[in-house]
Amino acid sequence: MPLQLRVARCMVLFSVLLFSHLPFPVIFVVGRDGTRWPTKPFSDLFIESIYMAKITFHGAARTVTGSKYLLEVGNTSILVDCGMFQGPKKLRQKNWEPTPFDAKSLDAVVLTHAHLDHTGFLPRVVKQGFEGKVYCSPATAELAKLIMFDSAKIQEYDAKYANKKGFSKHSPALPLYDSQDVEDTIKQLFETPRGKWFCPAEPIWMRYHDAGHLLGSNMIEVEIRDQDPPLRLLFSGDVGRYDGPLYHDPAPPPECDYLICESTYGNRDHPEVDLLDALEKVVSRSVRRGGVMLMASFAIGRAQQLIYLLQVLKKENRIPDLPIYLDSPMACKATGIYKAHTEDHDLSEGELDAEHPVLNGPRVHLCRSTDESKALNQVKGPAVIISSSGMMTGGRIVHHLKKRLPNPENTVVLGGYMAYGTRGRRIQEGADTIRMHGMEIPVRAAVETVSGLSGHADRSDLLRWLKPIPNPRQVFLTHGEPDSAEALAEELKTTRDWNVHVPDLGETHELT
Ligand SMILES: [Zn+2]
């Protein structure tokens, strides 16, 4: 570039910088009606463009996993949830793509709850240089540790297994993060109680409210306090159910200008069945078949709920006193955390009795070691094995499936919603064979689904929860597959006249 041109460019740049910092406007565009633009000093416009709040949907956009919402105000950036993508390979591969924000420049991460699709990417972000605090409820901190360590272990195991068997396309296959990364991550967890305002980074203030979805689960009320009145946001997190077993009802939502709401069950209601009746029928049919009843369960929440319900059925003599094997070290530890955080659930220790305690008992066997897990291959029915992962994508249940699926005497029980692309979904949809560890395993076992176990609000629950919110400027529906999210969007547009949008992955919106 010629020298004169360089000098001219420098002068223009210098002038723009100088004028933009003056407290009064020096350049105007005068409209036909005589109005002048800009009507504000350049300095104000400059500052507004810097401090404009915006949100970017880096996960759980038109899908149910990978929750990550980046909230930015000026140079402040806070990530709400840091979940892992799960389900089909195409989604899981997103965990391996370059992270779409600079982990080092994040001021804080704030978690709604401990589930892997809300916390499972956190060690990866720490590995990439995030050093700030991770705000979460006390129970979420305890559960998130378990979930992240378990996730690291599953990934380490899968990578090792793939390398041993040579069926990975990558050589060597690597875990997304390992146990050391999780050790580093848990040092950053910062326990934060419900109901009190906290400031992860100015000007963003937040307050937790009970979401009733999992032990320690919260929705997040946000105030951006660089303006008067503050700009108000509400992140629903995962909304729980009304009158469900185990958890409190979701707290009433505070008023907000912008609502970021989940839509997992936006287009359907849970069947109106009595959960105990439904489970009794499934167990009775399994006992008649004579084999083992293998229950796929999330280690946290679902497993405790299942043991509790089975203990109730036993106490009421509605099912035989079957042995129950809880084959998940994480579920065994989580059971202890449930006992410690009684403020977070409806169970009281005295709800059952000494012979049928709430979460354990003489016929409830906790299998922690690998040897104890392997020994379950010898177990003959009738018996119940509860194992994870809940959607059968990994964990010890994969080995149990290999052993139990080919025998028609056995029963495989799926709890609630199975995400698209998971083994659980394929089994639910009646697949003849399931691919595991490079082998096709025939599905001859009976397959049953117990739907009422979901910890998610259904369509009616969501509408009931949303009812007290007067009129937000904008609603973003996330954490739902496209059909669910679009159906709920249509409903809210029609019945509430709300401005509703279902964002795509990576979409950014300014919050004004
Ligand atoms: Zn959840």
Side-chain angles (χ1 to χ4, degrees):
M1 187 188 294
L3 185 63
Q4 297 91 323
L5 195 54
R6 283 188 191 187
V7 171
R9 277 183 61 167
C10 282
M11 286 176 69
V12 169
L13 193 62
F14 177 75
S15 310
V16 167
L17 283 171
L18 179 69
F19 292 153
S20 68
H21 283 78
L22 292 176
F24 49 86
V26 274
I27 303 173
F28 298 100
V29 175
V30 182
R32 284 186 185 173
D33 59 354
T35 53
R36 286 171 160 201
W37 187 93
T39 52
K40 290 180 179 183
F42 275 104
S43 54
D44 283 8
L45 293 172
F46 188 65
I47 287 166
E48 271 180 20
S49 70
I50 286 179
Y51 287 102
M52 177 77 75
K54 57 184 179 177
I55 186 167
T56 307
F57 299 91
H58 286 305
R62 293 180 179 270
T63 184
V64 291
T65 62
S67 283
K68 284 180 221 80
Y69 312 124
L70 185 67
L71 181 59
E72 294 171 279
V73 185
N75 290 327
T76 300
S77 60
I78 287 176
L79 193 65
V80 172
D81 282 339
C82 192
M84 186 184 271
F85 285 105
Q86 296 168 271
K89 203 171 180 183
K90 210 172 129 193
L91 267 182
R92 281 183 281 128
Q93 278 170 340
K94 291 199 176 298
N95 296 317
W96 290 92
E97 290 172 5
T99 305
F101 49 83
D102 178 16
K104 285 190 189 118
S105 68
L106 279 179
D107 291 288
V109 175
V110 184
L111 302 177
T112 58
H113 66 289
H115 277 146
L116 188 70
D117 61 322
H118 295 256
T119 61
F121 199 69
L122 198 48
R124 181 82 170 173
V125 169
V126 168
K127 192 177 175 162
Q128 290 170 345
F130 167 62
E131 291 180 334
K133 284 181 184 161
V134 179
Y135 293 82
C136 58
S137 71
T140 298
E142 301 252 2
L143 294 178
K145 285 176 202 170
L146 288 186
I147 287 176
M148 290 187 293
F149 273 121
D150 186 69
S151 169
K153 244 190 268 169
I154 288 172
Q155 290 173 65
E156 285 166 13
Y157 176 86
D158 285 350
K160 209 166 134 190
Y161 196 87
N163 288 328
K164 193 171 141 193
K165 298 284 176 183
F167 59 71
S168 170
K169 282 181 202 154
H170 307 281
S171 185
L174 293 171
L176 194 62
Y177 50 81
D178 59 25
S179 301
Q180 185 53 52
D181 298 316
V182 177
E183 291 282 359
D184 296 339
T185 304
I186 62 177
K187 289 177 195 150
Q188 290 167 236
L189 295 177
F190 189 79
E191 295 182 15
T192 309
R194 284 197 185 109
K196 286 187 178 164
W197 286 101
F198 59 96
C199 178
E202 286 288 2
I204 301 173
W205 287 73
M206 293 181 163
R207 184 160 61 162
Y208 278 141
H209 302 274
D210 195 343
H213 162 73
L214 175 74
L215 196 80
S217 69
N218 285 317
M219 58 191 89
I220 308 175
E221 182 184 9
V222 182
E223 284 190 1
I224 300 176
R225 296 185 180 174
D226 63 343
Q227 48 192 292
D228 191 20
L231 192 69
R232 301 163 306 171
L233 279 70
L234 178 63
F235 291 90
S236 73
D238 287 2
V239 181
R241 300 175 66 179
Y242 290 93
D243 309 316
L246 214 57
Y247 304 111
H248 303 147
D249 285 354
E255 283 187 30
C256 58
D257 302 306
Y258 289 90
L259 171 66
I260 298 91
C261 182
E262 69 124 319
S263 56
T264 317
Y265 282 87
N267 61 348
R268 60 205 186 280
D269 280 335
H270 298 309
E272 285 214 15
V273 287
D274 182 282
L275 193 49
L276 283 168
D277 287 351
L279 195 59
E280 181 190 354
K281 281 178 191 149
V282 168
V283 175
S284 301
R285 284 197 289 267
S286 171
V287 169
R288 280 202 294 278
R289 281 181 206 109
V292 164
M293 182 166 129
L294 178 60
M295 304 186 91
S297 168
F298 302 108
I300 291 174
R302 179 70 52 83
Q304 290 73 31
Q305 195 183 28
L306 282 171
I307 294 173
Y308 166 69
L309 293 167
L310 290 168
Q311 292 289 79
V312 172
L313 288 174
K314 283 184 186 184
K315 189 194 173 196
E316 294 175 1
N317 291 320
R318 293 165 69 177
I319 60 169
D321 191 11
L322 303 164
I324 300 169
Y325 298 91
L326 179 59
D327 185 26
S328 159
M330 179 162 65
C332 298
K333 286 180 192 158
T335 302
I337 297 172
Y338 269 73
K339 286 180 185 167
H341 290 272
T342 48
E343 76 284 0
D344 265 21
H345 57 69
D346 287 336
L347 298 183
S348 71
E349 277 296 317
E351 192 163 338
L352 296 176
D353 55 38
E355 228 176 286
H356 303 88
V358 176
L359 294 171
N360 49 21
R363 299 277 275 168
V364 179
H365 307 282
L366 305 182
C367 305
R368 293 186 173 90
S369 71
T370 313
D371 285 345
E372 285 169 322
S373 177
K374 281 182 184 163
L376 294 182
N377 283 339
Q378 309 309 319
V379 167
K380 305 248 183 303
V384 178
I385 298 175
I386 301 172
S387 189
S388 57
S389 68
M391 297 194 193
M392 304 176 173
T393 48
R396 288 182 177 179
I397 196 155
V398 177
H399 297 279
H400 293 304
L401 283 171
K402 267 169 91 174
K403 166 84 181 162
R404 305 291 174 181
L405 269 181
N407 184 347
E409 286 181 359
N410 296 327
T411 307
V412 173
V413 181
L414 308 165
Y417 174 80
M418 296 286 128
Y420 177 74
T422 59
R423 282 194 190 101
R425 177 75 161 249
R426 287 200 291 279
I427 291 174
Q428 204 167 41
E429 288 177 345
D432 294 329
T433 61
I434 293 292
R435 195 166 180 79
M436 278 178 285
H437 296 155
M439 293 157 68
E440 291 293 335
I441 308 294
V443 183
R444 297 195 192 101
V447 176
E448 303 256 18
T449 297
V450 179
S451 299
L453 290 163
S454 170
H456 274 279
D458 63 9
R459 180 184 157 280
S460 301
D461 286 326
L462 281 174
L463 292 175
R464 178 175 164 186
W465 181 73
L466 290 165
K467 205 171 177 187
I469 300 182
N471 196 14
R473 268 178 234 174
Q474 171 89 62
V475 179
F476 297 107
L477 291 183
T478 58
H479 203 289
E481 288 181 6
D483 288 355
S484 300
E486 296 288 2
L488 186 62
E490 216 37 61
E491 171 103 33
L492 294 172
K493 281 178 198 170
T494 313
T495 60
R496 306 289 304 267
D497 199 23
W498 281 0
N499 183 12
V500 189
H501 178 64
V502 181
D504 281 322
L505 195 64
E507 230 179 84
T508 298
H509 287 262
E510 290 186 345
L511 310 171
T512 53

